[in-house]
């Protein structure tokens, strides 16, 4: 979901430039802003005690992130990190909530967005319960493809690394490589010169 940039600026939003690897907010931190990615790429992750990341999602330009605490006033559920040099629009939480009060259609759009994100988590949890690596990967890829996310629109090439897929499915990268090779052999996806196509 994307709120019109001019509307955000009129409400007091400000641009923030981020360096690659810069943390925007930390898991369990208090929410102060609505965030919308203008350019670059953000990964939204949980990090365990050993420093291993579990990628909740990858945010592309035009998408918002970290919105849950804007509505439930709880802490952030994950950490947001700039994957590459990025630009984010930030609007203070109180101004964001006022914007929603004045624009009920935006509020409804956020309800749809939150429902979509919860549905995605249910799909992933169901695939995790199956324990079959190929099922986990297929669930993820099918969802991303249906949302036109992380795929090249012209050639259907997957824009995620094997490591990112591992981090999103809770699998080891070696398992992802083996499972995707098996999926290729079964005709479920195409691997050509190391690139994955669906």
């Amino acid at each position: 979901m994307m709120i019109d940039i001019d509307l955000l600026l009129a409400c007091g939003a400000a641009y923030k430039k981020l360096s690659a690897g810069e943390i925007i907010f930390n898991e369990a931190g208090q929410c102060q802003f609505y965030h919308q990615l203008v350019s670059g790429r953000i990964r939204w992750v949980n990090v365990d005690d050993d420093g291993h990341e579990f990628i909740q999602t990858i945010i592309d330009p035009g998408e918002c992130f970290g919105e849950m605490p804007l509505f439930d006033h709880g802490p952030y559920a994950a950490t947001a990190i700039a994957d590459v040099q990025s630009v984010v629009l930030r609007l203070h939480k109180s101004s964001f909530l006022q914007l929603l009060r004045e624009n009920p259609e935006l509020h409804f759009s956020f309800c749809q967005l939150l429902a979509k994100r919860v549905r995605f988590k249910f799909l992933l949890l169901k695939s995790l319960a199956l324990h079959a690596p190929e099922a986990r990967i297929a669930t993820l890829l099918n969802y991303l493809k249906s949302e036109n996310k992380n795929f090249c629109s012209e050639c259907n090439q997957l824009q995620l690394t094997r490591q990112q897929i591992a981090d999103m499915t809770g699998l080891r990268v070696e398992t992802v490589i083996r499972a995707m090779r098996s999926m290729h052999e079964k005709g479920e996806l195409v691997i050509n010169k190391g690139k994955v196509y669906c």
Side-chain angles (χ1 to χ4, degrees):
M1 161 165 186
M2 180 175 180
I3 297 177
D4 181 74
I5 289 175
D6 291 333
L7 180 58
L8 288 172
L9 292 171
C11 292
Y15 290 101
K16 180 169 176 61
K17 292 182 180 179
L18 304 162
S19 302
E22 187 172 341
I23 295 174
I24 302 147
F25 53 77
N26 283 300
E27 180 178 355
Q30 290 303 306
C31 176
Q32 300 295 320
F33 297 97
Y34 163 80
H35 296 88
Q36 184 168 297
L37 185 60
V38 176
S39 65
R41 188 178 60 240
I42 304 295
R43 70 184 187 275
W44 205 7
V45 302
N46 293 109
V47 182
D48 68 16
D49 293 337
D50 296 326
H52 298 108
E53 290 184 2
F54 178 81
I55 298 176
Q56 293 292 343
T57 192
I58 294 176
I59 305 298
D60 294 318
E63 294 183 300
C64 63
F65 57 97
E67 68 284 338
M68 205 166 28
L70 293 168
F71 295 96
D72 72 0
H73 308 294
Y76 285 114
T79 298
I81 304 168
D83 258 354
V84 297
Q85 189 173 7
S86 302
V87 176
V88 171
L89 256 176
R90 298 187 327 168
L91 179 63
H92 196 274
K93 180 179 179 177
S94 60
S95 299
F96 171 77
L97 294 175
Q98 185 61 35
L99 176 65
L100 291 187
R101 283 186 204 96
E102 294 170 0
N103 297 276
E105 70 282 356
L106 285 178
H107 200 218
F108 182 71
S109 294
F110 267 94
C111 288
Q112 289 178 311
L113 172 69
L114 292 172
K116 185 183 286 190
R117 289 188 172 166
V118 169
R119 184 174 300 281
F120 173 57
K121 292 303 169 189
F122 271 99
L123 286 171
L124 281 184
L125 286 172
K126 180 180 174 183
S127 72
L128 289 174
L130 299 175
H131 301 292
E134 291 176 20
R136 291 187 197 187
I137 294 167
T139 298
L140 175 66
L141 297 183
N142 288 337
Y143 174 80
L144 294 175
K145 187 135 171 86
S146 73
E147 293 295 318
N148 297 316
K149 193 166 168 51
N150 303 116
F151 278 93
C152 173
S153 58
E154 291 86 36
C155 64
N156 287 326
Q157 180 186 338
L158 180 64
Q159 303 292 305
L160 296 174
T161 66
R162 273 42 164 213
Q163 184 63 59
Q164 289 171 322
I165 293 168
D167 292 343
M168 293 175 91
T169 58
L171 298 168
R172 296 182 47 174
V173 70
E174 297 84 2
T175 304
V176 169
I177 291 167
R178 277 193 306 274
M180 291 181 85
R181 191 176 311 125
S182 173
M183 293 169 76
H184 169 74
E185 291 167 1
K186 294 176 184 175
E188 297 170 4
L189 53 79
V190 174
I191 300 175
N192 186 8
K193 297 180 182 175
K195 307 288 185 195
V196 177
Y197 302 85
C198 292

